[in-house]
Amino acid sequence: MSTFKAPRGTYDLIPPVSATYLAVREAIAAPLRRSGYGYVETPGFENVELFARGVGESTDIVTKEMYTLTTKGGDQLALRPEGTASVLRAALEANLHKAGSLPVKLWYSGSYYRYERPQKGRYRHFSQVGAEAIGAEDPALDAELILLAHDAYRSLGLRNFRILLNSLGDSECRPVYRAALQEFLRGLDLDEDTRSRIEINPLRVLDDKRDAVQKQLTGVPLLRDHLCDACRAYHAEVRELISAQGVTFEDDPKLVRGLDYYTRTTFEFVHDGLGSQSAVGGGGRYDGLSEMIGGPALPSVGWALGVDRTVLALEAEGIALDLPEATSVFAVPLGEEARKILFGVVAELRAAGIATDFAYGGKGLKAAMKAANRSGARYAIVAGERDFAEGVVQLKDMESGEQTPVPLDKVVPTLRTKLA
Ligand code: AMP
């Protein structure tokens, strides 16, 4: 062990478990790739102001959880705590909304950073795959995204997740509701922190996880009873489109989410095997965000799914993904001359697209075969000078143990057929 350890709240992804993470990222991306979403990658850090304005000055993410730094040049930066603000910033900067037809559909995958109290399922460095559809107000787009996340989880074999759905209204109905909510909340017995939240961001109080607060919220006015006609109709259509696909969801009138930019549709995917950190993914519509960061009006919708928690969900359901072995063929040379020739055969196999590894380090036969076993390879090719003198290698089936000579010029086609 070295003197150093991974920083608190972080962990390393190492083989073989890391293969599951890659597969999860790929499984979440696959439905997006099939649905017109293009890949976008943005920097790991941004101007801190982007998140302050975009995510919201009063959110926990901005006030408590951002990793901020001042560069030697005096720039105020933050490690990205979420993806939406960055992706929208990038789309605006590249004028994607002017270049082609709307919506601009983008997906991304990467690391995010929040200075949170670490616990199982909650880390300071975590990984998300996300999708954003920028510049269209259409209930079918909200439904598409919810269905694509649903498809991703189902393709991984997950079953014990639920979709929570709500509408947060728009700039017409939310202010009216907000005032009604504030009036109700001001009459409650709340601590000072929560009281100040009533003035800054009262909707977040609905989201308070403490029992003592939740008890007092009986009879609290709910946004669903205050939606304007346009929001009501919009929400009804989203619900209808999802239901028509046979996908079930639960209405959660208190679902607010921890980011200020949401309007209308908001949703969360929760998994019942994860304990307190049950949200595996979430998202919603953010019609005002573009203007909040200095862009034109661009109604948009998106989500981010947590890769770490999706892996935990797989574990909770006892699902082992059917991952192909990393190595199909393992080459074992016997002797110095054989080593050079076989090294060339390995390159040929690799060029033919066959995943091949080699016994490095001048191991003896026994240690080399052990390495072959450990690699998971289906076949080993073993060859010494005598074999090469006869123009063959020995092909060993690692399952049956059977060994047969194969002419050197037939190694690639033989293995290609056997592995097909
Ligand atoms: P949010 O942007 O907070 O809605 O996060 C979207 C998803 O990212 C969540 O549902 C989690 O799966 C994941 N996530 C957020 N924060 C963390 C964290 N600190 N550790 C691990 N996963 C996280």
Side-chain angles (χ1 to χ4, degrees):
M1 206 167 80
S2 94
T3 324
F4 299 104
K5 286 187 167 177
R8 187 167 137 75
T10 72
Y11 64 102
D12 303 306
L13 287 179
I14 45 180
V17 185
S18 50
T20 302
Y21 280 74
L22 278 182
V24 164
R25 288 194 183 112
E26 197 40 54
I28 298 174
L32 299 169
R33 291 186 206 270
R34 286 196 295 267
S35 310
Y37 290 75
Y39 179 67
V40 63
E41 198 165 315
T42 64
F45 49 80
E46 296 274 353
N47 199 307
V48 71
E49 210 32 46
L50 173 70
F51 300 118
R53 280 211 244 162
V55 179
E57 299 274 12
S58 73
T59 59
D60 283 353
I61 292 180
V62 169
T63 56
K64 299 181 194 155
E65 297 170 4
M66 267 201 306
Y67 283 88
T68 54
L69 62 118
T70 308
T71 66
K72 291 194 171 69
D75 293 330
Q76 303 275 335
L77 303 176
L79 299 188
R80 58 184 181 188
E82 62 102 46
T84 302
S86 311
V87 168
L88 185 56
R89 195 262 316 133
L92 291 171
E93 190 171 332
N95 275 318
L96 293 185
H97 58 297
K98 291 183 190 157
S101 56
L102 297 174
V104 175
K105 301 210 282 188
L106 301 168
W107 76 273
Y108 57 90
S109 171
S111 293
Y112 296 85
Y113 308 87
R114 292 182 196 172
Y115 188 74
E116 298 197 81
R117 200 168 46 75
Q119 65 180 89
K120 187 167 186 190
R122 187 159 75 190
Y123 311 105
R124 291 178 171 176
H125 166 261
F126 58 97
S127 169
Q128 289 182 338
V129 176
E132 314 291 348
I134 298 163
E137 191 183 283
D138 183 340
L141 198 54
D142 307 42
E144 166 174 290
L145 277 160
I146 292 170
L147 293 168
L148 291 174
H150 174 268
D151 290 351
Y153 288 136
R154 289 309 289 262
S155 77
L156 286 164
L158 290 170
R159 310 196 70 86
N160 304 339
F161 64 86
R162 292 176 290 131
I163 303 173
L164 309 180
L165 187 64
N166 193 20
S167 171
L168 289 181
D170 64 6
S171 56
E172 192 189 322
C173 52
R174 182 133 51 133
V176 182
Y177 167 71
R178 192 175 184 271
L181 177 64
Q182 282 176 321
E183 198 177 309
F184 177 92
L185 294 175
R186 285 186 195 121
L188 303 185
D189 177 24
L190 299 166
D191 60 273
E192 202 175 316
D193 248 21
T194 315
R195 297 201 73 82
S196 66
R197 194 171 286 166
I198 297 175
E199 305 312 318
I200 308 162
N201 195 344
L203 271 77
R204 294 293 315 283
V205 181
L206 295 177
D207 217 14
D208 202 307
K209 301 282 182 283
R210 291 170 299 180
D211 272 351
V213 176
Q214 280 303 323
K215 268 203 197 102
Q216 296 191 63
L217 290 179
T218 330
V220 68
L222 293 172
L223 189 44
R224 72 167 169 211
D225 304 318
H226 289 74
L227 291 178
C228 60
D229 289 345
C231 285
R232 193 182 303 279
Y234 195 95
H235 197 52
E237 194 171 336
V238 174
R239 300 170 84 256
E240 190 185 315
L241 288 166
I242 301 168
S243 300
Q245 297 302 307
V247 171
T248 50
F249 55 85
E250 295 167 27
D251 291 304
D252 181 351
K254 286 188 189 161
L255 180 71
V256 176
R257 306 199 18 81
L259 304 94
D260 278 355
Y261 50 59
Y262 287 113
T263 50
R264 290 196 170 169
T265 314
T266 41
F267 52 89
E268 206 152 80
F269 284 74
V270 293
H271 192 277
D272 292 323
L274 296 188
S276 64
Q277 303 305 311
S278 62
V280 284
R285 185 156 272 286
Y286 48 93
D287 292 343
L289 180 58
S290 175
E291 287 156 295
M292 277 151 73
I293 63 170
L298 282 173
S300 308
V301 56
W303 52 239
L305 311 189
V307 176
D308 311 75
R309 287 188 200 165
T310 304
V311 172
L312 290 174
L314 288 170
E315 283 169 18
E317 290 198 39
I319 299 169
L321 298 181
D322 188 16
L323 303 174
E325 286 293 349
T327 301
S328 302
V329 177
F330 199 95
V332 176
L334 305 172
E336 193 50 32
E337 267 314 297
R339 204 168 72 93
K340 288 177 191 154
I341 304 172
L342 201 56
F343 191 67
V345 176
V346 167
E348 249 182 85
L349 283 163
R350 288 176 178 169
I354 297 171
T356 308
D357 205 354
F358 189 66
Y360 290 104
K363 291 191 221 337
L365 179 62
K366 208 169 146 205
M369 288 316 290
K370 207 168 172 183
N373 241 323
R374 209 174 277 154
S375 77
R378 183 70 179 75
Y379 294 96
I381 45 180
V382 186
E385 264 162 64
R386 197 174 330 141
D387 298 302
F388 285 124
E390 289 171 17
V392 298
V393 299
Q394 303 297 325
L395 181 64
K396 182 168 178 171
D397 183 321
M398 298 297 284
E399 267 171 32
S400 66
E402 200 181 313
Q403 193 166 303
T404 44
V406 174
L408 259 176
D409 61 346
K410 293 279 181 309
V411 173
V412 171
T414 303
L415 278 166
R416 195 182 266 143
T417 312
K418 283 184 179 293
L419 289 164

